[in-house]
Amino acid sequence: MAWFLCNLLKFQYQLTIFHPISAIFPVFPGFFVDLPAVWFIARIRGLTNCETRSGLLFMTLGKRSVPEKRADAIASDLERRILEGTLAPGVRLPSEREMAAELGVSRPSLREALQKLASRGLLRSRQGGGHFVTDRLDAHFADPWRMMLASHPDLREDVLEFRRALEGQMAEWAAARRTGEDIERLEARFVALETAFAREGETAAARGAVDTAFHQAIAEAAHNTLTGHLAATLLSLMENDIQLNLTELAAAPRAFALLGTQHRALFEAIRDGDAVAARSAAETHLDFVRESLAQSLRALARRETAARRLKPTGSFLSLSPLDSRKETR
């Protein structure tokens, strides 16, 4: 009875009014309403929606839902990209003109959305320099732990243990969930890793950067937002340890070659979709990293001890903390 909605200019029908729904069926005979007029006025004022059920007309009274503001929708979309890592910390956003064209929105709406994200600490703006993604999501977790690790080196073992559990699970998820784009990105990171490790004279910082990028690509392929950010935080916390370990391993060709073999096994298991092999490869790799790092730290401690012994015995720097306190009394 679609003609019942709008095509009749006037139609007398029996109407019983309930709130918030008015249903048409006879209850009070003789109670007539000018239905088209009621319908027309209500639609103009935005007070009703209408549908037919079993041939009867139903009118729902009440304000229609207010659509989401365009700026809120834009902010939500950009926030999602930050959360999933598409917009990584430090990335400079395109110009407002380019973003507005890409998103199909007006520049005032885009500008309002950017201001919302800046107020939440997810973006920072530079006068004349554009908008940049902050590291707030990771830094608020990493900064306190970075200070704790500096004060309590024994916590490093707990961090490594947690990293082993996290990366094993992420590798399993990555093998099960990776897309073609994930494989392509992971392969590019793996090639960069192999190239940097094979290059003579490459710095530990450069090798550490590509190693971190490879492991972060695995985290992204796992398609879990929380574990992705946790992985980035852990890798940031261990940046100095990773560089130290790579420096020590580079001096031991067999151990360094074994590290490359482990990376390849991890990449191939994820590429081939073998979740069990991927978890095993990740855990084997982290066990090796854990043991080699312990050896690297012991070697560093021995070198520092030897260097201190070369200092003159009467120098201030040779005083122990207890001796220092005695001198200040």
Side-chain angles (χ1 to χ4, degrees), residues 74 77-78 81 87 92-107 110-111 113-114 117 123 130-133:
I74 299 169
D77 179 65
L78 293 175
R81 299 185 190 201
L87 295 175
R92 183 177 186 270
L93 300 184
S95 67
E96 291 183 4
R97 178 179 58 80
E98 292 172 332
M99 280 196 292
E102 179 185 344
L103 297 173
V105 299
S106 67
R107 292 182 66 177
L110 174 63
R111 194 170 297 118
L114 295 175
L117 294 178
L123 292 179
H131 306 279
F132 295 81
V133 179

Side-chain angles (χ1 to χ4, degrees), residues 199-272:
R199 186 180 297 124
E200 288 288 337
E202 186 65 275
T203 65
R207 286 172 174 164
V210 293
D211 184 273
T212 296
F214 173 72
H215 285 279
Q216 190 59 39
I218 295 174
E220 292 165 0
H223 292 281
N224 183 295
T225 301
L226 183 57
T227 57
H229 284 281
L230 282 175
T233 299
L234 287 176
L235 291 169
S236 172
L237 285 175
M238 301 199 68
E239 180 180 4
N240 292 333
D241 288 342
I242 291 171
Q243 292 182 20
L244 169 65
N245 204 26
L246 289 174
T247 299
E248 296 292 329
L249 288 172
R254 290 183 62 183
F256 200 60
L258 183 58
L259 190 66
T261 301
Q262 292 168 359
H263 283 141
R264 174 171 289 279
L266 181 55
F267 162 68
E268 291 179 349
I270 294 173
R271 181 198 62 192
D272 298 341

Side-chain angles (χ1 to χ4, degrees), residues 44-57:
I44 289 177
R45 298 185 63 181
L47 295 175
T48 183
N49 293 318
C50 216
E51 60 176 316
T52 58
R53 301 177 192 166
S54 301
L56 298 178
L57 178 67

Side-chain angles (χ1 to χ4, degrees), residues 8-120:
L8 293 181
L9 295 176
K10 287 185 178 182
F11 189 83
Q12 306 298 335
Y13 204 86
Q14 295 169 317
L15 178 68
T16 299
I17 300 180
F18 296 93
H19 187 75
I21 297 178
S22 297
I24 299 177
F25 54 89
V27 173
F28 297 106
F31 183 69
F32 296 98
V33 174
D34 190 342
L35 183 61
V38 171
W39 165 255
F40 180 70
I41 294 172
R43 287 298 287 175
I44 289 177
R45 298 185 63 181
L47 295 175
T48 183
N49 293 318
C50 216
E51 60 176 316
T52 58
R53 301 177 192 166
S54 301
L56 298 178
L57 178 67
F58 286 75
M59 296 171 62
T60 303
L61 301 180
K63 289 286 186 181
R64 286 178 291 180
S65 59
V66 178
E68 183 181 23
K69 287 184 61 177
R70 180 58 62 89
D72 291 337
I74 299 169
S76 178
D77 179 65
L78 293 175
E79 187 175 60
R80 176 179 54 80
R81 299 185 190 201
I82 293 172
L83 282 171
E84 68 187 14
T86 305
L87 295 175
V91 166
R92 183 177 186 270
L93 300 184
S95 67
E96 291 183 4
R97 178 179 58 80
E98 292 172 332
M99 280 196 292
E102 179 185 344
L103 297 173
V105 299
S106 67
R107 292 182 66 177
S109 294
L110 174 63
R111 194 170 297 118
E112 183 181 348
L114 295 175
Q115 290 171 352
K116 288 177 182 291
L117 294 178
S119 69
R120 299 175 196 168

Side-chain angles (χ1 to χ4, degrees), residues 252-301:
R254 290 183 62 183
F256 200 60
L258 183 58
L259 190 66
T261 301
Q262 292 168 359
H263 283 141
R264 174 171 289 279
L266 181 55
F267 162 68
E268 291 179 349
I270 294 173
R271 181 198 62 192
D272 298 341
D274 190 335
V276 174
R279 175 186 276 275
S280 178
E283 291 175 347
T284 298
H285 172 60
L286 267 298
D287 287 339
F288 175 78
V289 168
R290 192 174 178 179
E291 178 58 32
S292 61
L293 179 59
Q295 294 177 7
S296 297
L297 290 170
R298 287 194 293 268
L300 177 62

